[in-house]
Amino acid sequence: MTAQILHTGRDIEQFAAQAEKWLAGAVPERWKNNRGSLSGHDMDELRREWDFILWEGGYSGLSIAKEYGGQGLGLAEEIIFHVLAGGAQAPDGLARVGKSLVTPMLIKSGSEQQRAAYIPSIMNGTDVWCQGFSEPEAGSDMANIQMRARRVDGGYLLNGTKTWTSFAQHARRCFVLAQTQPDAGRYRNLSMLLVDMKSPGVSISDIRQISGAVHFAETRFENVFVSDDDRVGDDGDGWGVAMRVLGDERGGIETAARYVEIRSDVDALVAALGDNPRYADRIRDLDIRTEVVRWQLAKIADLEAAGDEKRFARAGGVMKLMWSELWQDIARLGVLEVPPGRQEQHWAYQYLESRAVTIYGGSSEIQRNILSERVLGLPR
Ligand SMILES: Cc1cc2nc3c(=O)[nH]c(=O)nc-3n(C[C@H](O)[C@H](O)[C@H](O)COP(=O)(O)OP(=O)(O)OC[C@H]3O[C@@H](n4cnc5c(N)ncnc54)[C@H](O)[C@@H]3O)c2cc1C
């Protein structure tokens, strides 16, 4: 079974068989049977519950070292588990940012005190985190961040606005990039700070996406105190910390979740249009590109196991570009060509949702810039 999902050098058949068995009994029935009719609030509750079920079952933080409360396995197991969980119709937990971005960030760049204070409550699903990088005037040009963190006794006072902050409505904490040294040059003026979202001075306004979903928000910080203990790395090291976070964001876990969705949508296209020769070439093309994403997942799992960070980061960028544009092409064919009465709502939702994927985590244009400069060595 797993050999069909991930052709990797590692032996993960036994893990996959156990996970599949566990998933069959663990996914809440009321999610499987009613997911289409659940309110946004009920869905969020279930997603939180799922984080807790994962932790109780020993499937939280699969690729995180045991000493930090994870399972001490690798990215290959994370990917396989995501694919199997998708097949078992499991919900997507709310602790995603905490597990895939914050925990690796604290392990690579944080202090022992920060790891002890924050990782356990991420692993057991208690605390949701969000990522505060983008601002109204700083998205692709992240070095242009304007949020200020002014030095005060024992820490900083944070002022400014972040936008498109996914999960902000649920988050207990946020990791933000802020200017701590306004007079230092570009890239050397930023620090990464961990903010308690319950602090006085934090306010959140929902932003509704074109699909109708409310996944993100505008988040304002007015004289919010952040202690020195909650700075990740040295003052002025924020840019380097943020670059490592972006590497993880483009890496395997997010793609594994998307692969499940893409594979299932291609299968749905085959079911709806496969008999019509008019669509044969287009469906074959989408199917082949989906398989290439799967191969790329296997490659990235092997690079992670080999500890090859440089090639891992490059492969992550290529993969983000591949799956995001593929998903848009699949959804476009679905919304335009699948006959009325056959999952119309599904295709409309997928089409609108997929508009976002070539923007977040670095837009396609930015990914192409990075690949052409850093991988192909082309001039700027
Ligand atoms: C669903 C979703 C969730 C998100 N979640 C988060 C989150 O949790 N936390 C967070 O901090 N941010 C989040 N973002 C924000 C996301 O990271 C930014 O939208 C993204 O980095 C682009 O920035 P921008 O929106 O300011 O667009 P801009 O940077 O203004 O770009 C506008 C257009 O210009 C192009 N462009 C810009 N610069 C160049 C260049 N140098 N060369 C070629 N083309 C260029 C871009 O590709 C884009 O097409 C999210 C976004 C979405 C859509």
Side-chain angles (χ1 to χ4, degrees):
M1 161 84 197
T2 48
Q4 292 160 9
I5 300 171
L6 205 58
H7 292 282
T8 171
R10 307 212 14 225
D11 179 9
I12 47 177
E13 292 293 339
Q14 198 187 349
F15 166 81
Q18 276 172 359
E20 201 167 16
K21 195 166 157 207
W22 179 80
L23 280 161
V27 178
E29 282 302 320
R30 64 185 193 289
W31 171 264
K32 280 200 260 190
N33 299 333
N34 303 315
R35 68 194 296 186
S37 58
L38 288 175
S39 69
H41 174 267
D42 289 349
M43 273 167 76
D44 291 340
E45 287 298 305
L46 258 165
R47 295 176 71 188
R48 263 186 186 278
E49 190 185 327
W50 182 241
D51 286 324
F52 183 67
I53 294 172
L54 285 174
W55 179 68
E56 272 199 325
Y59 286 95
S60 178
L62 290 172
S63 58
I64 303 299
K66 282 194 172 157
E67 59 181 303
Y68 301 120
Q71 311 302 325
L73 301 168
L75 185 58
E77 283 83 356
E78 289 273 14
I79 292 172
I80 288 290
F81 187 77
H82 264 80
V83 174
L84 294 174
Q89 298 181 52
D92 189 14
L94 284 180
R96 191 160 118 195
V97 171
K99 287 181 189 171
S100 60
L101 303 184
V102 180
T103 304
M105 174 179 79
L106 295 181
I107 291 173
K108 287 177 206 163
S109 318
S111 65
E112 220 26 84
Q113 187 189 343
Q114 289 165 351
R115 292 175 199 131
Y118 299 130
I119 295 180
S121 59
I122 292 174
M123 288 299 132
N124 67 24
T126 308
D127 283 347
V128 173
W129 283 69
C130 60
Q131 176 193 39
F133 286 5
S134 303
E135 296 181 1
E137 299 305 326
S140 303
D141 186 11
M142 211 168 77
N144 190 36
I145 273 173
Q146 297 300 311
M147 174 172 270
R148 292 288 169 101
R150 183 166 57 82
R151 263 245 155 262
V152 291
D153 196 21
Y156 303 88
L157 272 190
L158 198 60
N159 278 286
T161 300
K162 295 290 176 182
T163 192
W164 320 123
T165 324
S166 303
F167 304 108
Q169 303 88 337
H170 308 286
R172 176 62 214 269
R173 294 181 196 280
C174 187
F175 58 108
V176 306
L177 203 50
Q179 279 196 27
T180 48
Q181 302 187 31
D183 298 330
R186 198 170 150 92
Y187 305 117
R188 293 196 306 276
N189 55 348
L190 302 169
S191 298
M192 187 70 77
L193 304 174
L194 309 177
V195 186
D196 183 341
M197 295 291 276
K198 298 229 184 302
S199 307
V202 177
S203 56
I204 297 165
S205 314
D206 289 350
I207 305 175
R208 190 170 293 279
Q209 287 170 247
I210 194 174
S211 65
V214 183
H215 292 317
F216 51 30
E218 183 169 276
T219 316
R220 284 177 296 283
F221 299 82
E222 199 180 337
N223 290 325
V224 175
F225 178 74
V226 181
S227 139
D228 277 327
D229 293 340
D230 282 330
R231 187 188 62 238
V232 181
D234 287 337
D235 194 305
D237 279 353
W239 182 257
V241 177
M243 287 302 105
R244 288 191 283 278
V245 170
L246 287 182
D248 288 322
E249 190 169 359
R250 292 161 192 162
I253 299 179
E254 171 78 358
T255 308
R258 292 309 179 191
Y259 167 75
V260 176
E261 211 152 350
I262 288 166
R263 181 71 263 167
S264 139
D265 274 357
V266 172
D267 292 345
L269 282 179
V270 171
L273 304 174
D275 291 343
N276 188 335
R278 222 177 111 205
Y279 301 110
D281 281 353
R282 283 155 81 185
I283 292 180
R284 202 175 299 119
D285 170 65
L286 297 173
D287 193 33
I288 290 168
R289 287 165 62 195
T290 303
E291 287 303 281
V292 174
V293 170
R294 180 165 65 76
W295 291 337
Q296 189 74 7
L297 272 172
K299 181 173 163 186
I300 207 161
D302 285 342
L303 290 173
E304 188 259 359
D308 192 338
E309 278 186 34
K310 204 167 172 187
R311 289 180 66 211
F312 176 84
R314 289 174 178 179
V318 176
M319 203 162 61
K320 164 77 173 37
L321 202 52
M322 279 175 12
W323 72 253
S324 55
E325 297 188 350
L326 169 61
W327 192 25
Q328 290 185 346
D329 291 346
I330 293 168
R332 191 176 302 116
L333 186 62
V335 83
L336 289 177
E337 304 296 342
V338 171
R342 297 187 72 172
Q343 297 186 301
E344 266 164 306
Q345 272 188 338
H346 169 79
W347 289 115
Y349 185 80
Q350 294 296 78
Y351 179 76
L352 295 174
E353 269 290 296
S354 69
R355 309 320 300 162
V357 296
T358 49
I359 302 173
Y360 67 69
S363 69
S364 284
E365 289 80 6
I366 295 300
Q367 303 292 351
R368 286 196 165 85
N369 283 351
I370 294 172
L371 291 174
S372 52
E373 284 166 26
R374 297 191 205 153
V375 180
L376 302 175
L378 300 175
R380 280 178 78 96

